Amino acid sequence: MLGCECWWWSSSEYQLYDYSEPQPFSLPSPLPHWPQGEGFATGRIRLGEIEVTQITKFESIWSCNLLRGKSKGVTFYRPAGIPDGFFCLGYYCQPNDQPLQGYVLVARETVARRAEDGCTPDSALELPALEKPVNYSLVCNADLSENGCGYIWLPNPPVGYKAMGFVVTDMPEEPSPEEVRCVREDLTETCETCDRILAMDSKFEVWNTRPCKRGMFCTGVSMGTFFCSTYLDSNEELQVSCLKNFDSSLHAMPNLNQIHSLIEHYGPTVFFHPNEVYMPSSVQWFFKNGALLYREDTGNGEPIDHRGSNLPGGGENDSDFWIDLPNDDEAKNLLKAGNIDSAELYVHVKPALGGTFTDIAMWVFCPFNGPSAIKIGLVSFALNKIGEHAGDWEHFTLRVNNFTGELWQVYFSEHSGGRWVDAFDLEFIEGNKPIVYSSKHGHSSYAHPGTYLQGSSKFDIGVRNDAARSKFFIDSSTKYQIVAAEYLGKGVISEPCWLQYMRDWGPTIVYDGREELDKLIDRLPFFVRFSVENLIELFPTQLYGEEGPTGPKEKDNWLGDERC
């Protein structure tokens, strides 16, 4: 994986420049005193035989700004202020063009010893959880003579142990084995690369890492360390690992009072577009005002109880049932318009990254998703039908650091995907409450106002997603309902009946958009015209059919991690 020899970075190709080191990031307002609990926001988390804490203060070891290409400058850091009895597991790296908001875990061995159903050999239990590396392998020698040198080292663990990160020096001497600790193999899980930090002409790369398996029931713990390689084969296992949480109690997760406090402190304000005509509503308002349940073997829709008690619950989406708007035009238009005064955010709270973070997924319901608008270069066209569907579910997710209670990231869902945005890149309102911008007609979420294109950025062609602040908004810190938090145990949260409905919240209608696209093409200047077939290939496939989505509990991210 790392090659047979290290890569040498010559000063004739790349140079260092003076720069200001990234400054630490802090939220706009101080954190409150969270309600009393067990392990949430106490600074340390037990993982079984290992206890860990986060280090967010660093000593810079080596920094570089790259002259060639568009690569970003980066800084490599050694964790500073490690508490007595804890040991470094690896160093930290981040780009220079963003505030310093990162961490690495340091660990110490606890007195707990684990023997689960005989799955761990006695010989492993006799070994300490943490052990010094045997020696190091030099992975990268970045020799920049006048401007300094950087050396990146991989710890070589003893037999039965795994390295958790790399060590960086500004001198060619091999680091001391005392510098880091390796972790006994049965206490670790595999990890993968994500978010490339540095790329050197495909010869040398630095990446962030994360557990391979992520989701509500997964135990992998993110280390905060980086991965370095002279080349990366996606089919091979990385030579560093992440930790595994063996504490099934998840003692660092917030209790119910702490959840309410978190939402009241961090709950975003969701702004809808000034020209939005398809507003959100509560699910109960939707049911009370004429939504109908259809089934495959009958032709008439059945009124839905305001609680959703007559909806079929459980199972999977077999397409035998769906929800639709009423047939009466006046009633149908009433539902399409929604009712923002009744709207509230539906909250699902779940463990993330082995219970070291808490994900607070906030779902917003809109009775109707409006037609799309197409952007082709500088010209935009509003479509009549394409993109419409009934029953629109969208969400965003707050990721909270369980060591400190600090808001770490927010995930913004954008139709079939989305992206995580770090706290330093958010807009805030009223203290530490971030702003979420909901796009016109489509209701996808964004961290900043603007026009976002879903399609081909190369040709500047696609579906427009326009987001802006307006007088239409929902304050999720006050208008919310917790609908699920499975880790709290049975009976703590009562799930609403409608949450168990796993079928479509709107009918499936497939239609041919050729006629509408033909008209659009005829309006284009000759030099930018496309054939219908070529134009269709540039747009998202969901543009050509009307399909009501399934509810929150049927989505992949209900149990799994968010899709990026």
Side-chain angles (χ1 to χ4, degrees):
M1 155 112 345
L2 297 175
C4 58
E5 57 183 352
C6 74
W7 184 68
W8 181 67
W9 181 358
S10 170
S11 61
S12 63
E13 297 182 89
Y14 298 96
Q15 299 181 14
L16 280 181
Y17 282 86
D18 291 335
Y19 79 103
S20 298
E21 283 192 17
Q23 296 302 303
F25 168 79
S26 59
L27 292 167
S29 298
L31 299 186
H33 293 290
W34 306 111
Q36 186 174 0
E38 184 181 354
F40 177 73
T42 59
R44 298 182 180 181
I45 297 178
R46 300 187 309 271
L47 304 179
E49 291 186 49
I50 290 177
E51 183 180 60
V52 293
T53 187
Q54 279 185 342
I55 299 297
T56 57
K57 295 181 179 180
F58 301 99
E59 170 192 355
S60 62
I61 300 298
W62 173 53
S63 304
C64 60
N65 281 337
L66 306 184
L67 178 63
R68 177 185 290 182
K70 298 181 180 179
S71 299
K72 299 176 181 178
V74 301
T75 298
F76 294 87
Y77 298 89
R78 182 181 189 273
I82 298 176
D84 291 342
F86 285 81
F87 296 96
C88 175
L89 301 176
Y91 283 20
Y92 175 72
C93 177
Q94 76 159 54
N96 294 335
D97 63 349
Q98 65 186 43
L100 187 60
Q101 187 203 14
Y103 70 89
V104 293
L105 296 187
V106 296
R108 70 175 180 181
E109 189 168 357
T110 67
V111 296
R113 287 286 176 164
R114 179 177 54 86
E116 295 181 350
D117 301 325
C119 62
T120 302
D122 291 340
S123 57
L125 291 172
E126 293 172 0
L127 297 174
L130 305 175
E131 188 61 88
K132 292 179 289 187
V134 176
N135 51 29
Y136 296 83
S137 294
L138 181 60
V139 177
C140 171
N141 172 10
D143 186 356
L144 298 174
S145 58
E146 296 180 0
N147 296 303
C149 302
Y151 304 87
I152 302 178
W153 306 83
L154 173 68
N156 292 319
V159 175
Y161 288 80
K162 288 284 189 178
M164 312 305 288
F166 290 75
V167 173
V168 181
T169 65
D170 58 1
M171 301 292 289
E173 288 78 19
E174 182 174 329
S176 165
E178 293 288 347
E179 185 63 26
V180 292
R181 292 294 186 269
C182 301
V183 178
R184 203 175 69 224
E185 187 171 5
D186 62 292
L187 303 178
T188 69
E189 283 197 0
T190 57
C191 64
E192 64 184 19
T193 58
C194 65
D195 303 326
R196 188 168 61 183
I197 304 172
L198 177 66
M200 300 296 298
D201 297 335
S202 301
K203 299 177 182 177
F204 169 67
E205 295 178 320
V206 176
W207 300 76
N208 286 322
T209 62
R210 64 185 181 186
C212 291
K213 296 179 180 179
R214 300 176 305 282
M216 187 164 67
F217 299 115
C218 297
T219 56
V221 174
S222 182
M223 300 299 303
T225 55
F226 66 87
F227 177 77
C228 174
S229 176
T230 53
Y231 68 93
L232 184 62
D233 186 340
S234 60
N235 295 322
E236 292 187 27
E237 184 177 317
L238 301 188
Q239 289 186 304
V240 295
S241 298
C242 66
L243 290 173
K244 184 175 183 178
N245 190 354
F246 286 96
D247 184 358
S248 59
S249 71
L250 297 176
H251 72 282
M253 290 293 293
N255 60 31
L256 185 56
N257 288 334
Q258 291 169 334
I259 291 173
H260 284 295
S261 184
L262 286 167
I263 296 173
E264 291 163 6
H265 188 74
Y266 292 127
T269 296
V270 185
F271 282 102
F272 295 85
H273 195 272
N275 299 324
E276 183 62 80
V277 294
Y278 304 106
M279 291 294 176
S281 77
S282 69
V283 171
Q284 285 193 342
W285 181 90
F286 179 62
F287 291 161
K288 284 181 179 180
N289 285 274
L292 300 174
L293 174 66
Y294 284 83
R295 63 185 70 206
E296 183 69 30
D297 55 355
T298 63
N300 297 323
E302 172 188 346
I304 302 172
D305 175 76
H306 73 281
R307 296 168 300 174
S309 59
N310 60 326
L311 293 172
E316 56 186 24
N317 186 19
D318 51 17
S319 300
D320 288 342
F321 295 87
W322 65 90
I323 296 173
D324 201 357
L325 306 178
N327 294 319
D328 178 75
D329 287 342
E330 183 177 352
K332 180 183 294 185
N333 290 333
L334 174 69
L335 281 193
K336 282 186 176 182
N339 182 272
I340 196 169
D341 291 336
S342 71
E344 59 185 354
L345 277 293
Y346 300 104
V347 178
H348 178 211
V349 187
K350 59 180 180 174
L353 300 175
T356 56
F357 286 81
T358 295
D359 276 3
I360 303 175
M362 309 190 84
W363 293 87
V364 59
F365 175 73
C366 295
F368 197 74
N369 188 99
S372 300
I374 300 297
K375 184 178 185 295
I376 301 179
L378 299 177
V379 184
S380 295
F381 304 91
L383 301 176
N384 293 324
K385 284 286 188 181
I386 295 179
E388 287 186 347
H389 64 76
D392 191 24
W393 280 103
E394 298 290 347
H395 80 285
F396 51 87
T397 298
L398 312 180
R399 179 158 285 180
V400 176
N401 187 330
N402 287 351
F403 289 92
T404 62
E406 182 182 359
L407 177 66
W408 203 254
Q409 295 176 305
V410 176
Y411 178 83
F412 294 84
S413 65
E414 303 168 5
H415 301 296
S416 57
R419 68 188 186 104
W420 287 103
V421 176
D422 293 318
F424 62 77
D425 197 24
L426 298 170
E427 293 183 23
F428 290 91
I429 188 172
E430 297 181 7
N432 294 333
K433 298 174 183 178
I435 294 175
V436 174
Y437 293 93
S438 179
S439 66
K440 179 184 175 184
H441 290 189
H443 310 124
S444 57
S445 56
Y446 298 93
H448 304 283
T451 296
Y452 299 86
L453 198 64
Q454 185 186 10
S456 172
S457 57
K458 177 180 179 181
F459 294 102
D460 196 22
I461 295 176
V463 178
R464 285 182 63 120
N465 292 277
D466 296 300
R469 191 180 297 203
S470 75
K471 64 180 181 180
F472 308 116
F473 65 88
I474 307 175
D475 180 358
S476 69
S477 70
T478 59
K479 300 192 70 174
Y480 70 91
Q481 177 186 348
I482 300 175
V483 297
E486 293 89 343
Y487 72 91
L488 292 177
K490 293 183 179 180
V492 178
I493 301 295
S494 298
E495 295 188 4
C497 298
W498 57 261
L499 188 61
Q500 307 299 327
Y501 175 68
M502 312 300 280
R503 278 79 172 182
D504 292 331
W505 283 70
T508 298
I509 303 174
V510 179
Y511 49 77
D512 185 3
R514 173 176 288 272
E515 182 178 351
E516 192 165 358
L517 291 176
D518 274 332
K519 293 178 181 179
L520 185 153
I521 291 171
D522 290 340
R523 297 165 62 186
L524 294 175
F526 179 77
F527 61 91
V528 295
R529 287 189 181 181
F530 293 79
S531 69
V532 173
E533 289 75 13
N534 289 336
L535 195 62
I536 286 175
E537 291 180 358
L538 299 176
F539 293 144
T541 55
Q542 62 265 34
L543 199 65
Y544 306 103
E546 183 175 327
E547 181 177 358
T550 53
K553 207 166 188 178
E554 182 70 6
K555 306 294 188 185
D556 293 342
N557 68 300
W558 186 267
L559 299 179
D561 200 5
E562 302 289 358
R563 289 187 293 175
C564 296

